[in-house]
Amino acid sequence: MPATRDHPQPALRCRDISVNFGDVTALSEVSADFAPGMIHAVVGQNGAGKTTFARVAAGLIRPDAGEVIVAGNAVRTGNVNDVRQAGVELVHQSFALPPSFTVAEAMEFGASGSGFLYSRRKLEQRWQAHLESLDVKVDDRARVRDLPVEIQQSVEIARALVADAKILILDEPTAVLSPSGIANLFERIEKLKQRGVTIILILHKIREVLSVADTVTVLRGGMRVEGPIDCAGINAGQLAELIIGSAAPREINADDRVALTGAGTVAHAESHSADTTAIPMLEMQSVSTHRDAEGPALEDVSLVIRPHEIVGVAGVEGNGQRSLVRALSALSDLAGGTISFEGTDVTRKPLSGRRAAGLRVIPFERNVEGLSLSSALWENWSVRELLQKSLLALIKPAELRKRCAQALTSWSVVYNDVSQPAGALSGGNAQKVILAREMDDDARLILAAQPTRGLDIGATTFVWQSLRSARERGCGILLISSDLDEIFDICDRVIVVLSGRIVGDFSAPYDIAEVGAAMTGAVR
Amino acid sequence: MDDIIIAILRSGTPLVYVTLAGVIAQRAGVWHLGLEGLMITGACATILGIYLSGSVVLALIVAIAACVVGSILFWFVIEKLKANPIIAGLGLTGLGLGGTALAVQSIFGTQAAVNAPFGLPRLGPAFGSYGVLSVFVLLMPVFVFAMWVLLRRTRFGLKLAACGEHPFAARSVGVNPSAMRLAALMIGGVFCAIGGAELAAGSLQIFAQNMTSGRGFMAFAAVIFGAAHPVGAAFAALFFAVVGAIGIRAQLIFGDNVPHDLLLGLPYIATIFGIWLSTRLRGGNKTAASFGELRDY
């Protein structure tokens, strides 16, 4: 297409891109033209192919078919150096900076040209100036691992701009940020746009798309269903319809729809208050832990969860969520305080004792902590009861296989055979296996840590429904999530953690601005 | 006093060279347990080279070539055939120990030690009593410094460290971790060859079966002890040499009052102690999370 005034040459043009991972089609003949000097959003649910699309454009994945054309010139697909040469840079969702590097080293290792040897001082001078020009306030001698996530992201953006980037792609940059962090990011992006950089944002919240982007492209199931179209010409409802699609797996209620797409404010229609006279399912009194490598220690955390109650934990990641789960599941020693389940002190009980008392955990990393990927499904499913038995208790595999098959079927897990390894399942099905194990009839207190991360719409709503029905049965539930929409949708109460402390306690109706302010310590 | 220092430098120098090979591999993300095999290959090739060609330079070239080929083989097995690097490294060690024995057997028809007519060039009378040491002892600090510059003051070093620590980060700026690992292992091969040559021909002029007797593993321990920092690891290697020298000295002093085997075991006990200490000081090795596995993401 010749460049004309009405149709300037696209900064980035993707033509008929198809990507398959084994049997799974990640992208299917996706074409899109991105005009220069604008902010483009690419939206879609998990599994829609957004990250794959970004990585193809950045040269990290070689598509099975299709072309990537930067400013009119085709680049060799799947070749990062070629693509970077052409001025395309990608900022990853979970940042790609070696944690032990200093900020200056992280800048330098991705740079090109200008000398082979360097002295530390020369390096720091060069990159401090670069960081200042981008308004990133950070000591460039600091190590990446010691930086808060928002600063890490700024550093990664600065890293992407060390060369003369013309197109900057950001993969889900808002997923790890607090609401105010998102506002700061969007300000930074507007500034880059004024410098003439073309921005492509991979997002999944409609609210964010409409507040920052000029155009929007919608992906669903690896296909482009719309766009890029002008954001002025579309409203939140229409976008939600495009993202979810008409062929949604089951009826999704209005609140869940809003929560899935971030299209507005969750009304939280089904809020109900728990019985405050009932014996609390969980009572933590002034619990503190020791600091370790995985995050800040808990400091003086007191928390009550009653039966029939879902309590949400909001907070920027790395503010003590993992310490909280470890403290409750007896995986770390307490420095002080007490924990009781249903009025019984379990502070000194090991995990097995707590599980016997009804504690169940849906862990953060389903493929690492939740399942043994190389073990059979029935083995993964039956560990719950096997671990409760005595060391020499007889195991009856045939019976366990049969019961496992029944359980998995009732949780609508799609699988071939209970003897297949857990690693062969998709993310949604793998999570359902964990639910089938952890949400049994004896469950009393359920810790659900990021239970929907990376799951598609069907699996996400399934998890939400499961948590709600556990609440109906009288369980107490602690839901840890970095997705505020999810928390607002299904939680009866929300606490906010910051640096290992509880800094806020909210109940419906929630105000995203108030909760967001608590997440960054702007109030109290 | 001089004789103790000479003894330490004699036993420490080969160890330092091999340690440098381990450092660069570790930085690239490879736990190199094949150091022992490459070291003995270097030792054997040097002595055989001198014996058969009569030229030290030619012998060193042969030793370096042999160790670099061994390193490429190691890379191929762990990178292309996706074998576990720990197992493959131990395999390389077995190959080196067995292969050198086989080479000696097939050339000389006997398992006896091979004597070369001369060894590596010595420093000479200008250095007084230190003149008995080989030139590679004097070059050792130079190589340590050069390795430090390469790893800590060049972009190559940063890219290499990124490949070891966060390969996905390396890939996303267009660095190929596999190619960087090959480069690191090949450079390591050169250092293993020098270490082996120094061991067999630096103060001696002899090759005997299994003459490395675990020095490659001790070098690996020094890599961990020194947190994969070239200077730190070199000092760790020298520390092990010091302990070894003390052990020998103690034997002379105490005679039969202290069990002979205990004193000979001192360097190995120090190795275990050193690793325990370094874990205590640094709260665990930062690469331990991916123990031995090659990571691509």
Side-chain angles (χ1 to χ4, degrees):
Chain A
M1 181 168 64
T4 64
R5 208 169 61 84
D6 290 343
H7 295 282
Q9 189 173 52
L12 175 71
R13 186 153 209 224
C14 297
R15 289 213 341 219
D16 298 327
I17 290 178
S18 297
V19 178
N20 299 296
F21 297 122
D23 297 337
V24 183
T25 302
L27 286 178
S28 165
E29 296 184 1
V30 171
S31 299
D33 289 358
F34 298 100
M38 299 175 100
I39 299 176
H40 305 277
V42 174
V43 292
Q45 271 300 312
N46 290 317
K50 299 176 308 236
T51 294
T52 307
F53 177 77
R55 291 188 179 175
V56 167
L60 272 167
I61 293 175
R62 186 190 305 278
D64 297 311
E67 278 189 296
V68 176
I69 298 155
V70 181
N73 303 313
V75 293
R76 272 191 297 164
T77 53
N79 186 314
V80 178
N81 288 319
D82 245 33
V83 173
R84 290 187 72 207
Q85 198 74 44
V88 181
E89 293 281 352
L90 172 62
V91 173
H92 296 278
Q93 180 177 9
S94 50
F95 315 119
L97 299 172
S100 79
F101 280 27
T102 66
V103 172
E105 286 172 338
M107 297 281 132
E108 175 71 19
F109 100 101
S112 55
S114 64
F116 178 69
L117 279 172
Y118 58 82
S119 72
R120 180 144 284 181
R121 187 182 301 159
K122 212 172 84 187
L123 196 67
E124 280 158 10
Q125 277 168 359
R126 183 193 310 166
W127 297 121
Q128 194 66 56
H130 174 70
L131 290 165
E132 272 165 21
S133 78
L134 289 166
D135 209 15
V136 179
K137 289 178 189 64
V138 60
D139 179 359
D140 67 0
R141 282 166 300 184
R143 295 202 181 273
V144 167
R145 61 164 172 256
D146 297 329
L147 301 175
V149 283
E150 289 179 20
I151 305 288
Q152 270 191 49
Q153 186 177 60
S154 310
V155 169
E156 171 108 22
I157 292 174
R159 203 277 306 147
L161 296 172
V162 292
D164 185 23
K166 296 178 181 66
I167 300 171
L168 184 64
I169 307 171
L170 296 103
D171 186 10
E172 304 241 11
T174 57
V176 292
L177 300 181
S178 66
S180 67
I182 293 172
N184 291 338
L185 171 73
F186 287 173
E187 228 171 86
R188 190 178 294 284
I189 285 171
E190 286 286 352
K191 277 187 197 148
L192 290 174
K193 176 189 171 185
Q194 280 154 25
R195 286 183 170 199
V197 181
T198 306
I199 313 270
I200 298 175
L201 289 171
I202 312 291
L203 293 172
H204 83 254
K205 299 279 179 191
I206 290 172
R207 180 186 322 118
E208 293 163 3
V209 172
L210 296 180
S211 74
V212 70
D214 299 314
T215 82
V216 59
T217 304
V218 181
L219 297 180
R220 189 171 71 223
M223 312 227 252
R224 180 179 61 96
V225 292
E226 184 64 85
I229 52 164
D230 202 331
C231 280
I234 191 160
N235 66 33
Q238 291 164 322
L239 256 183
E241 199 62 48
L242 286 171
I243 291 170
I244 295 179
S246 49
R250 72 177 65 75
E251 271 314 299
I252 301 174
N253 74 39
D255 266 1
D256 283 359
R257 263 184 115 72
V258 171
L260 280 168
T261 58
T265 314
V266 177
H268 202 88
E270 51 181 305
S271 170
H272 64 283
S273 48
D275 179 5
T276 49
T277 58
I279 298 171
M281 211 47 108
L282 167 73
E283 187 163 11
M284 296 174 79
Q285 277 181 343
S286 311
V287 169
S288 305
T289 61
H290 302 284
R291 189 183 162 77
D292 62 19
E294 285 193 60
L298 299 182
E299 284 179 51
D300 194 22
V301 168
S302 296
L303 174 65
V304 170
I305 300 178
R306 299 188 186 277
H308 297 286
E309 189 176 40
I310 303 182
V311 175
V313 179
V316 176
E317 265 177 63
N319 274 293
Q321 291 94 330
R322 279 166 200 263
S323 310
L324 181 60
V325 171
R326 277 206 309 282
L328 286 175
S329 44
L331 296 177
S332 64
D333 295 330
L334 299 194
T338 58
I339 298 174
S340 38
F341 292 171
E342 296 189 82
T344 313
D345 189 332
V346 296
T347 314
R348 307 218 158 270
K349 276 195 182 170
L351 177 56
S352 58
R354 296 188 192 182
R355 286 190 70 95
L359 175 72
R360 298 290 183 268
V361 184
I362 301 166
F364 280 100
E365 310 288 342
R366 81 177 68 95
N367 293 335
V368 182
E369 305 165 293
L371 294 171
S372 161
L373 294 186
S374 57
S375 303
L377 290 180
W378 72 270
E379 292 170 319
N380 271 295
W381 176 81
S382 46
V383 283
R384 179 190 72 226
E385 42 192 284
L386 295 184
L387 289 181
Q388 296 299 333
K389 290 184 178 172
S390 70
L391 218 48
L392 293 175
L394 214 56
I395 295 173
K396 299 173 186 153
E399 188 211 316
L400 287 174
R401 281 199 202 99
K402 210 172 103 199
R403 286 176 42 219
C404 173
Q406 286 166 358
L408 296 188
T409 308
S410 72
W411 283 87
S412 51
V413 180
V414 180
Y415 67 100
N416 294 326
D417 179 27
V418 288
S419 297
Q420 77 182 94
L425 297 183
S426 71
N429 279 309
Q431 189 71 309
K432 283 182 192 172
V433 174
I434 297 176
L435 297 182
R437 182 180 71 208
E438 300 294 320
M439 298 177 81
D440 60 319
D441 292 338
D442 297 331
R444 304 293 289 153
L445 174 68
I446 298 170
L447 307 183
Q450 299 280 15
T452 61
R453 169 170 286 182
L455 303 186
D456 62 20
I457 296 176
T460 299
T461 50
F462 185 94
V463 171
W464 290 348
Q465 285 311 332
S466 309
L467 291 175
R468 285 178 179 131
S469 58
R471 172 175 62 188
E472 296 316 312
R473 291 206 310 273
C475 294
I477 297 166
L478 187 70
L479 171 70
I480 296 169
S481 175
S482 51
D483 184 342
L484 282 180
D485 289 308
E486 170 175 77
I487 284 186
F488 292 166
D489 184 23
I490 68 171
C491 294
D492 306 304
R493 207 146 62 74
V494 175
I495 59 165
V496 176
V497 289
L498 178 66
S499 306
R501 294 171 165 275
I502 294 182
V503 295
D505 192 333
F506 302 88
S507 40
Y510 305 110
D511 180 346
I512 192 167
E514 261 180 46
V515 176
M519 285 166 72
T520 50
V523 291
R524 287 205 195 179
Chain B
M1 191 63 202
D2 281 358
D3 54 339
I4 295 187
I5 294 176
I6 289 171
I8 291 169
L9 287 174
R10 268 184 176 162
S11 61
T13 303
L15 206 53
V16 169
Y17 280 110
V18 178
T19 298
L20 291 178
V23 164
I24 191 168
Q26 186 79 9
R27 290 220 155 225
V30 180
W31 290 57
H32 201 331
L33 289 180
L35 294 174
E36 175 91 0
L38 292 177
M39 189 183 190
I40 197 150
T41 304
C44 181
T46 306
I47 294 299
L48 291 185
I50 295 173
Y51 183 88
L52 297 174
S53 76
S55 155
V56 170
V57 175
L58 214 56
L60 276 177
I61 291 172
V62 170
I64 288 172
C67 288
V68 170
V69 167
S71 300
I72 295 172
L73 178 71
F74 181 46
W75 173 83
F76 181 80
V77 170
I78 62 175
E79 196 71 55
K80 296 294 167 190
L81 305 182
K82 302 286 172 204
N84 179 302
I86 302 277
I87 307 295
L90 292 174
L92 182 62
T93 289
L95 182 68
L97 294 173
T100 50
L102 179 68
V104 169
Q105 171 79 34
S106 58
I107 293 174
F108 301 96
T110 163
Q111 297 281 358
V114 181
N115 283 288
F118 48 88
L120 299 176
R122 305 296 201 264
L123 291 172
F127 289 83
S129 56
Y130 293 93
V132 296
L133 295 169
S134 93
V135 290
F136 281 104
V137 174
L138 196 61
L139 286 175
M140 181 253 285
V142 179
F143 276 114
V144 171
F145 179 74
M147 184 61 91
W148 176 79
V149 170
L150 180 69
L151 294 178
R152 301 291 303 154
R153 287 292 178 270
T154 68
R155 199 176 288 148
F156 173 84
L158 284 177
K159 287 180 173 172
L160 199 70
C163 290
E165 194 181 341
H166 196 335
F168 185 70
R171 274 157 39 90
S172 54
V173 297
V175 177
N176 179 348
S178 177
M180 293 297 278
R181 286 183 195 127
L182 177 60
L185 290 175
M186 287 172 70
I187 295 170
V190 175
F191 281 95
C192 284
I194 298 175
E198 171 66 24
L199 177 73
S203 50
L204 316 161
Q205 314 163 21
I206 193 170
F207 174 79
Q209 274 188 54
N210 201 16
M211 76 182 297
T212 47
S213 61
R215 284 185 179 79
F217 292 105
M218 225 186 280
F220 182 75
V223 172
I224 303 296
F225 192 5
H229 189 286
V231 179
F235 273 112
L238 286 175
F239 167 72
F240 294 150
V242 169
V243 176
I246 291 172
I248 293 169
R249 183 51 58 114
Q251 269 180 63
L252 297 176
I253 295 171
F254 297 118
D256 291 334
N257 298 326
V258 177
H260 174 74
D261 296 325
L262 183 69
L263 296 174
L264 277 184
L266 269 184
Y268 306 98
I269 295 168
T271 307
I272 294 170
F273 174 76
I275 291 194
W276 172 79
L277 189 70
S278 70
T279 315
R280 286 295 299 228
L281 291 178
R282 289 180 289 111
N285 191 286
K286 67 171 191 251
T287 47
S290 62
F291 180 77
E293 299 279 333
L294 284 191
R295 300 189 319 165
D296 282 323
Y297 287 96

